[in-house]
Amino acid sequence: MRRFFKWLGGFLLVLLVLNVWMFWPVRLAVPLLDASIDLPAAHPPPDMAIYALPTGAMHSQAVFAYRGGTPGEHRDFTMTAYLVRHPRGDLLIDSGFGTQVDAQFARLPMLMQVTSTYSKGTPAARQLAAAGIEPGSLAGVLLTHAHWDHVSGMTDLPGVPAWLPEAEAAFVHGDLPMAAIAHSMPNLALRPYAFADTPYLGYARSFDVWGDGSIVVVPAPGHTSGSVVIFVTLPGARYAFVGDIVWQSEGIERPAERPWISRHLVDLDGDQVRAQIEHLAALHQRFPQIVMVPAHDARPTAAMPRLTP
């Protein structure tokens, strides 16, 4: 019996050490940006606008969102699609939860199912229709990446293409578990795009969607092979939609990466994600007028208008 309690004490000590190691509040370094980097010129049309379309949330704790998060502090990981209205074509950024979310959630790896709960809101397609916007009229959905919670609403947008870089199209066509939902969508129309060798805010390549600097996409691999950051410039406002490079704003403001267990569950390449966080943190310090928008943090979008019928 004494040997058993000795073994149990050692086991509990190992668990304690592992927990401290995984969740210890380590802050990342913020590199110095090259002095030549400045805000790029943009010429958004005067009637360009953006709307937040919240579609639901997953429920977790701050401790799982970033290193240094408080255990027991509730956090809602919001699922939001963003409508960008532009004279050349309206686009969604990500699609949020769709009407098939229950069936999609049931296909996730068991560890994700048992550690997550979620609540449903109104799918983006229904919000668009209620506001008098025909969902099929969209020019497309710009995906920050193709994980299930970002493509879920595509099931309600038949014929609307998903715009994504060639690397992310390969991810969708592959057989990795995290691509399974997107891979299995029979009517998911992909519209791959290529990046030009045009630098943008320290990124070597970029894709200017409408050619006026109002929507510019840059490659930001790590979370998936083709993850991107989408910069949107409106008259009088600038946003950076960073997808899941971080889940909550503290990831950029501290800056801090996800705890090991969260990284292990969702990130393809943790070193690349860390480099992306550090660069975004440097941009945040140099250009605080750019509102950083993690895909699952409602706070940066609180000031954005909602669609109304």
Side-chain angles (χ1 to χ4, degrees):
M1 184 62 71
R2 183 177 298 174
R3 291 179 61 186
F4 170 77
F5 281 112
K6 184 177 180 180
W7 173 88
L8 180 61
F11 177 71
L12 292 175
L13 179 61
V14 169
L15 284 181
L16 176 62
V17 171
L18 282 174
N19 272 284
V20 170
W21 172 72
M22 285 193 294
F23 298 107
W24 191 257
V26 177
R27 294 174 184 256
L28 299 177
V30 180
L32 290 175
L33 287 181
D34 189 291
S36 64
I37 295 174
D38 204 350
L39 281 177
H43 305 283
D47 55 346
M48 185 178 172
I50 193 166
Y51 299 88
L53 284 63
T55 66
M58 297 191 76
H59 310 293
S60 188
Q61 298 181 34
V63 68
F64 295 114
Y66 58 92
R67 296 193 70 167
T70 304
E73 180 186 342
H74 177 81
R75 288 293 174 97
D76 282 336
F77 287 18
T78 54
M79 305 294 161
T80 304
Y82 299 90
L83 174 65
V84 183
R85 308 215 69 176
H86 191 286
R88 292 194 58 187
D90 294 340
L91 293 163
L92 285 184
I93 296 176
D94 290 333
S95 66
F97 280 166
T99 56
Q100 305 301 311
V101 63
D102 292 333
Q104 293 163 347
F105 184 80
R107 296 184 56 193
L108 296 180
M110 186 55 63
L111 181 58
M112 294 186 70
Q113 291 188 50
V114 300
T115 57
S116 304
T117 59
Y118 67 98
S119 55
K120 295 181 287 186
T122 303
R126 291 180 179 173
Q127 294 187 53
L128 291 169
I133 301 171
E134 171 56 46
S137 70
L138 294 173
V141 178
L142 274 174
L143 294 176
T144 59
H145 62 291
H147 279 170
W148 80 279
D149 50 326
H150 297 256
V151 302
S152 172
M154 294 299 300
T155 57
D156 308 317
L157 299 167
V160 177
W163 294 32
L164 72 182
E166 293 163 342
E168 196 69 356
F171 171 73
V172 171
H173 290 309
D175 57 2
L176 290 176
M178 294 300 287
I181 301 298
H183 182 79
S184 67
M185 288 182 173
N187 299 317
L188 183 61
L190 303 184
R191 180 174 172 176
Y193 55 81
F195 294 105
D197 292 327
T198 306
Y200 190 92
L201 285 174
Y203 298 90
R205 297 182 297 155
S206 63
F207 168 53
D208 189 338
V209 175
W210 296 133
D212 58 6
S214 64
I215 307 173
V216 178
V217 188
V218 298
H223 186 59
T224 64
S225 53
S227 294
V228 300
V229 174
I230 302 169
F231 291 92
V232 175
T233 301
L234 302 174
R238 287 181 181 258
Y239 300 94
F241 294 87
V242 307
D244 284 3
I245 294 175
V246 298
W247 281 335
Q248 301 277 285
S249 296
E250 288 88 347
I252 294 172
E253 293 164 356
R254 282 177 172 260
E257 60 189 342
R258 282 179 275 269
W260 178 88
I261 189 169
S262 299
R263 299 198 307 271
H264 179 73
L265 280 173
V266 301
D267 290 335
L268 186 66
D269 188 320
D271 291 338
Q272 285 187 321
V273 173
R274 191 176 304 115
Q276 302 296 346
I277 295 172
E278 290 172 348
H279 185 67
L280 288 171
L283 289 176
H284 179 61
Q285 288 192 5
R286 173 79 70 84
F287 306 111
Q289 62 268 56
I290 300 176
V291 179
M292 298 286 172
V293 187
H296 302 306
D297 192 337
R299 292 170 294 178
T301 64
M304 291 185 193
R306 273 41 173 178
L307 282 178
T308 54

